Amino acid sequence: MAARKASEITLALLKPDLLANPEFVKSIINEIRNNRKGIRILQRKRVFWTQDQARSFYAEHSERFFYGRLVSYMTSGPFEAMALGGPGAISWWRQEMGSTHPQSIMFKGALRVDRY
């Protein structure tokens, strides 16, 4: 008998530039809803952060070269926060998103590749 993956919850953020294109958002929401891994959207909320909220959320990156740009970007407009849940939700969402490093984005089919 195959072992079942434990149910997990992960945070998914659809960032401000993505929300500027409702078709992209619709496409991603449909992709999540239609996945065959049992991942579900548990909660969904449109958010508009202040500078202080963004700084606090990304505090672990405060010494990194991109921190200021990241805070500015995440406060440039609304974004959508979603709690995704299901078996293997964390690894599934990471695979769907693709690499966070632009130089290593090679996986066609990853959201970062197909949507930008």
Side-chain angles (χ1 to χ4, degrees):
M1 175 185 256
R4 283 184 55 191
K5 284 189 175 183
S7 189
E8 301 172 336
I9 297 174
T10 192
L11 176 65
L13 301 179
L14 303 183
K15 307 232 172 126
D17 60 336
L18 191 70
L19 259 58
N21 187 330
E23 288 304 311
F24 282 169
V25 175
K26 186 177 176 181
S27 169
I28 291 169
I29 299 302
N30 285 338
E31 218 168 299
I32 295 167
R33 286 185 174 148
N34 296 326
N35 79 82
R36 297 176 189 269
K37 302 287 185 179
I39 309 302
R40 297 179 301 120
I41 299 171
L42 304 175
Q43 195 167 10
R44 189 174 160 195
K45 182 178 181 177
R46 189 154 293 202
V47 180
F48 201 136
W49 271 342
T50 65
Q51 291 271 324
D52 286 341
Q53 289 170 317
R55 282 189 204 104
S56 176
F57 185 82
Y58 289 111
E60 69 185 87
H61 301 299
S62 64
E63 301 300 318
R64 305 290 303 268
F65 71 93
F66 57 81
Y67 178 71
R69 285 187 314 220
L70 178 59
V71 169
S72 292
Y73 170 58
M74 289 304 294
T75 58
S76 68
F79 64 92
E80 192 144 328
M82 296 182 290
L84 305 180
I90 296 168
S91 60
W92 179 84
W93 183 244
R94 285 182 179 164
Q95 182 175 348
E96 287 298 304
M97 287 304 301
S99 176
T100 59
H101 302 295
Q103 303 91 328
S104 60
I105 293 178
M106 299 177 133
F107 172 58
K108 201 70 172 151
L111 296 176
R112 282 192 177 96
V113 174
D114 290 349
R115 302 310 192 284
Y116 296 103

